[in-house]
Amino acid sequence: MIYVFHLVDEPGAQELRLRARPEHKAHLAQVTDRIAFAGPLTSEDDKMMIGSLLTIAFANGEETEAWRAKESLARAGVYASASVLPFNLWPQRADFLREWAAHDQAHRDVQLAGGFARGEGPGHPEAEAQDRRVAWS
């Protein structure tokens, strides 16, 4: 069964999130073959990560909770709230992610042309764009 994790950060947890992020990504790598989709929730201006949305297949709720209990952002106290529920994924448009990736990159190119320094600072739009491009290719 697929479970959706809706995880919202504590206010001001950005620095803590960034410190725990390498371990978080390594923990996600252990279930890469079971991830339907996943990524950070961001502020409206897309400049800061404010949570996580993960959809991962597990055999049951107990396995899901055991995995979440070992997750570095949860252990570090990054999340203010966490909701984990079974999720019924219905078929999507096969081309949606490819089209959205192109749209998203065009939007980022406009932002960068408007004065953002490429790759500047944690949580910067370009700093996360490479991860998204790899995931959407």
Side-chain angles (χ1 to χ4, degrees), residues 65-86:
E65 283 304 313
W67 182 86
R68 188 177 73 87
K70 296 176 185 173
E71 204 283 316
S72 67
L73 297 179
R75 285 190 341 231
V78 169
Y79 299 126
S81 67
S83 175
V84 181
L85 298 167

Side-chain angles (χ1 to χ4, degrees), residues 44-60:
E44 189 66 31
D45 61 6
D46 201 28
K47 291 184 180 180
M48 186 170 36
M49 293 177 280
I50 60 169
S52 301
L53 182 68
L54 313 170
T55 54
I56 307 171
F58 288 99
N60 53 50

